[in-house]
Each structure stands twice: as structure tokens, then as C-alpha cells.
Amino acid sequence: MFGASLFVQEAAGLTYNGLLSMQHRGQEGTGIAVLSGSNIVCHKDTGLVNEVFTRENLGKIHKSKLAVGHNRYSTTGRSAHINLQPFVTEYLTGRIAAVHNGNVTNAGKIKRQLMARGLNFNATSDTEVIASLIAYHCMREKDALKGVIRAADELEGAFTLIILSSEKKLIAVRDGSGYRPLCIGRGPAGLVVASESCALDSCGFRFVRDVRPGEVVVIENGEIIFEEVILEKKDPSSGLCIFEYVYFARPDSNIDGLSVYEARYNMGRMLAREHPVTADAVCGVPDSGLEAAIGYASESGLPLVSGFVKNRYIGRSFIFPTQSERESAVKMKLNPLRANLQGKSIVLVDDSIVRGTTSEKIVTALKQAGAREVHMRISSPPFRYACYFGTDIDTEENLIANKMELAAIRDKIGADSLGYISIGGLKAACEKAALPFCTKCFTGHGQKER
Ligand code: AMP
């Protein structure tokens, strides 16, 4: 998510750059909405940022001081065009464009209440419900800020929001638990709000601060005109999603006081302490296992070698026509580097095992390339429980760690040994962060903890 409130009419182009640098947060589709007079103009489509936006369509929305944009990664709702963001909603006295990261757990209930009041819905995502609820309250309150606060107060679960209002305001909201990251940046052209600080760097904006959990920030004409922690934390055991540090965020981002690189490096060091092994070298799985592998190598004293060459030109446009071709997708993306592997015992570090398919293929590929032993080390604890707060992992029955014990997983993926970081180790690796964490995908939601 990215939002810009500038002194100059360059908000759409800046938002495009911001979205490009946050492509890792969602690749299904993308969109930008700008304020044009009292109108909101929006362009969105399925595809990557540089596929969806051309000189022509960006040219049509380029003249604005105010813009919001979003890269979609589906959590609630099907991955259809209709669910793409921003959602533009019109009400009696104004318009808003809303972008959202997270997952609102009471969206179904709110939708039924709004439908009973005569509102219509077209999409299946929770963001459409949030946008409608905000518009409903903006209309009743006759004020965008009051409307956003009323609406946000009703929401449960995970929501960071950036709302562009026809009142010429950008309103940023972070839920009371702070599940998803959101930060503010300043540059000579004005202020921006972004999911990750790497977007500020890429756009030449200076990091000002993170939006605080429960905070509502209003930006007008490139200046903050309102900032207050208003929303309460509804679940005391919640917090910032620790998986942001494990997998989601880019390593050059800084979230709530902790560098993502440093967190991953610490996870690797912790893994080496918790699961040491006699081996010849350490390899990281590109890209998400690389920083933890550096940490593992540093702590263990083992040499760090490249285990794979990644074909960076295979994007989502690479279409596999047959099942056997689809199954060799990992091989196409990651080719093992024989010279570093042959006859060696390798510690292979990755960020997570979800269904287990990726690990199985990667371990097999290393062995086929001549590795004598593969010792798999994972920088997150076993993924056992569903996430209701914006991480699109599979249903619990498809999570390998929900069905199998450690030895069975090790055998299934074909590794010689398997070690996951402990939950305590993971938290210690991230201890510099200013917020408590949500770790429920690892520890359970209270009812069925192991
Ligand atoms: P698998 O075990 O085959 O389901 O895949 C696990 C790999 O997918 C991990 O190594 C991560 O790099 C990546 N991954 C983990 N969680 C997610 C997620 N929520 N969305 C997309 N990729 C993910």
C-alpha cells in the first residue's frame, strides 16, 4: 500500500514507484486512484505493476497531488478483478478510495448489517466492506475523519488502511494491535505513507516514523494535520505479525524499530545455536532464506556458499502447460550450483515450510546435484495453524506440520536432518522491535494449542 499527499501534481507517478518497490507484497493485481477535482479516478487490473501501468493509462491519471495505490495478494475473497484495490465508493456528499492490508474478521457480520440498510456489494473481499462502512459513516458524520474513526472502531482483526478522501485528505489507520506495518516518509514534495520503508527509500523520501498501533493520521497538502492513537487493542494476545520479519517484508525495510535484515540474520544465528550440525557448508534458499543463511554461517563458522542460481526472468508470465512441467517449476526457477555441492554435506536454510512441496523439491534437487547430505534448517517454527489476519497460508489440513511430526516431515522432504527455530528463539531474534507479536500461526488461537 502506498499513499501520497504532495505539493506538486506528481502523486500518481510517485505511487507507481512506491508500488514497484513493494511488488513482493502482492503480485495478483495492482491499482492507483487519484483525486481529480472532486472526482476520484482509478485504474486497476490483474498483473504486475509494470504490466498494468503503461505510459498511456498512467498519463491519464498523472495530474494529481493526492493518490493511493495497492498491490493485491488475496487473503479474503477470490483472486478476481472485482476484488482489486483501491475501492472507490461514492456517498451523498463525497467520495473515498480505500486501500487495505490485513484481514477483517467481522467483515461478514458488517456486510449483513449494511445490506439490511440497503447497501449493495459486488466483490467478495473484506476491503469492499470496509470501504462501504467508511462511506456510510462519512455520510452520517458529514466529515471524513469522523467517519473513518467510527468505521475503524467497528472493525475487528487486522487492518492498515490508507483512505483518499474527496475532502483532499489522506487518512492513514493502523489497527489497535498493529498487525501489519505502516510508515510515514517526508520529502521535498510532501508526505507519503507506505506499508514498508523500502518504498520510501526508493522514492527518495526520508523515514519519519511508523504509524502507531491504533493511530489515525490525517495528511493534507503534504502536512500532518491530525495524529492520535484512538483505536483500542481488542485482543490482548495480538500484535505485529512476526511473519513480516520471517518472510513478507523486504530485508531493506525497517519495521517498528527493527531492520528486517537484522531480524533474519539473528534468526539464522539462533538456528545455528539451537540446531548445530557437522557439515561442509551453508546455503540459503533464494530469496527468502538468504539472510538467515548468512546468520547461520556466521554463528556456526561454516562457509557460506551459493547453492543455487536463480533465474530472475521467470515471473508469473511463465506458464506451465502440463502438470509435469508445473512440477518442475522449482527446477526452472532455481538451478543447483553443482560446483559448490558435489560430495558435500550442506546446511540448507529456508524461511518456512508451509505445505512442504517446495522443500521436498529443493532437497531432491540438491541431492541430484551431488550433495552428500542435506540438513534443512527453518527460520520459523512449524506452521500449524490457519492465519485469520492476512497471511494467505493454506487450510490447516494442508499444513504439513499440522499433520506430521518432525521425523515424518524430515523423511517426506528427503532431508538428513530437520530443525526449526523455537518460538522463543524467533522472538529473541526480533526482540529489538517496539511491539509485541502475533505468533498464532505457530502457537494456535487458544482453543487447540499444542
Ligand atoms: P510450501 O512449503 O511448498 O508450501 O512453500 C513454502 C515456501 O513458500 C516458503 O519457503 C516461503 O518462501 C513461501 N511462503 C511462505 N508463506 C507464504 C505465503 N503466505 N504466501 C506465499 N509464499 C509463502
Side-chain angles (χ1 to χ4, degrees):
M1 292 192 322
F2 193 88
S5 169
L6 307 181
F7 312 120
V8 289
Q9 298 209 315
E10 287 168 10
L14 194 70
T15 302
Y16 172 86
N17 289 343
L19 292 180
L20 262 186
S21 59
M22 290 189 292
Q23 187 74 81
H24 60 286
R25 293 189 75 82
Q27 296 100 41
E28 274 179 31
T30 188
I32 297 176
V34 302
L35 188 67
S36 169
S38 60
N39 241 331
I40 292 177
V41 185
C42 179
H43 180 79
K44 53 185 177 178
D45 208 343
T46 48
L48 301 176
V49 178
N50 63 359
E51 294 169 341
V52 168
F53 289 102
T54 61
R55 245 172 223 289
E56 275 111 54
N57 59 33
L58 204 54
K60 282 184 194 151
I61 58 170
H62 85 286
K63 276 204 169 146
S64 181
K65 292 180 180 173
L66 211 54
V68 286
H70 185 265
N71 291 331
R72 178 161 169 83
Y73 155 87
S74 64
T75 51
T76 303
R78 286 170 293 118
S79 52
H81 189 280
I82 205 150
N83 286 326
L84 295 175
Q85 302 186 34
F87 271 95
V88 180
T89 313
E90 219 172 313
Y91 52 99
L92 210 55
T93 52
R95 293 176 180 89
I96 54 155
V99 293
H100 164 227
N101 182 205
N103 193 42
V104 168
T105 48
N106 62 342
K109 187 175 151 206
I110 295 172
K111 188 171 181 171
R112 285 191 295 278
Q113 288 168 350
L114 291 173
M115 284 170 86
R117 289 171 190 153
L119 271 77
N120 287 324
F121 291 88
N122 303 309
T124 53
S125 92
D126 54 343
T127 310
E128 186 191 32
V129 178
I130 299 171
S132 295
L133 185 70
I134 293 172
Y136 174 78
H137 284 300
C138 286
M139 182 191 66
R140 288 175 62 108
E141 299 287 339
K142 297 183 181 63
D143 177 81
L145 173 60
K146 283 186 189 157
V148 167
I149 293 172
R150 282 289 299 270
D153 216 29
E154 283 185 37
L155 302 175
E156 285 168 17
F159 53 93
T160 52
L161 305 166
I162 311 176
I163 295 129
L164 182 162
S165 146
S166 55
E167 291 177 18
K168 299 194 169 125
K169 291 177 182 129
L170 210 57
I171 306 176
V173 182
R174 192 171 179 195
D175 66 69
S177 303
Y179 282 103
R180 299 286 153 211
L182 194 63
C183 61
I184 303 171
R186 181 182 292 285
L191 281 184
V192 295
V193 185
S195 289
E196 282 187 39
S197 65
C198 67
L200 310 181
D201 300 336
S202 312
C203 292
F205 277 60
R206 183 175 51 79
F207 176 85
V208 174
R209 66 176 180 86
D210 294 287
V211 174
R212 289 178 273 263
E215 191 178 22
V216 178
V217 178
V218 183
I219 302 168
E220 199 174 320
N221 288 325
E223 292 297 341
I224 294 177
I225 59 159
F226 177 91
E227 48 189 322
E228 206 174 309
V229 174
I230 293 177
L231 307 171
E232 55 180 66
K233 182 172 177 172
K234 291 183 178 161
D235 174 0
S237 66
S238 64
L240 169 66
C241 167
I242 205 161
F243 208 55
E244 289 283 349
Y245 292 113
V246 172
Y247 171 76
F248 275 136
R250 238 169 70 160
D252 52 339
S253 285
N254 200 295
I255 301 173
D256 294 303
L258 173 61
S259 135
V260 175
Y261 177 89
E262 197 182 325
R264 289 184 190 164
Y265 178 83
N266 290 343
M267 288 170 207
R269 291 190 63 182
M270 206 57 85
L271 254 180
R273 272 183 238 155
E274 292 185 348
H275 299 285
V277 60
T278 308
D280 299 314
V282 181
C283 293
V285 179
D287 293 315
S288 47
L290 295 179
E291 293 80 25
I294 299 171
Y296 195 105
S298 154
E299 182 69 21
S300 65
L302 294 172
L304 178 76
V305 299
S306 296
F308 305 88
V309 170
K310 184 178 171 179
N311 185 336
R312 64 185 70 182
Y313 304 101
I314 301 178
R316 54 179 282 290
S317 52
F318 189 81
I319 294 159
F320 306 98
T322 66
Q323 181 59 21
S324 64
E325 281 170 309
R326 279 194 287 274
E327 276 173 12
S328 64
V330 173
K331 263 193 190 159
M332 292 297 301
K333 269 199 174 175
L334 296 177
N335 194 28
L337 240 174
R338 259 168 217 281
N340 283 338
L341 303 167
Q342 220 140 29
K344 291 201 178 130
S345 173
I346 299 291
V347 180
L348 182 64
V349 183
D350 202 359
D351 69 288
S352 58
I353 301 180
V354 183
R355 282 149 300 209
T357 2
T358 311
S359 310
E360 192 177 337
K361 284 179 182 145
I362 286 176
V363 172
T364 309
L366 283 198
K367 292 227 164 164
Q368 281 172 350
R372 184 165 45 83
E373 289 173 356
V374 178
H375 300 278
M376 190 88 197
R377 295 293 179 270
I378 303 296
S379 61
S380 61
F383 230 123
R384 291 206 175 102
Y385 303 96
C387 171
Y388 306 114
F389 308 110
T391 305
D392 183 29
I393 54 161
D394 221 319
T395 49
E396 282 177 6
E397 61 269 26
N398 291 330
L399 300 177
I400 195 168
N402 191 281
K403 300 182 295 194
M404 291 185 186
E405 295 304 327
L406 189 86
I409 302 173
R410 180 200 60 207
D411 294 345
K412 174 87 176 48
I413 65 173
D416 294 275
S417 74
L418 170 65
Y420 290 91
I421 198 171
S422 67
I423 187 75
L426 176 61
K427 284 186 177 170
C430 301
E431 70 179 357
K432 261 200 194 167
L435 297 185
F437 299 114
C438 175
T439 57
K440 288 179 179 165
C441 53
F442 307 126
T443 56
H445 294 268
Q447 319 88 344
K448 52 179 283 196
E449 280 187 34
R450 291 194 204 186

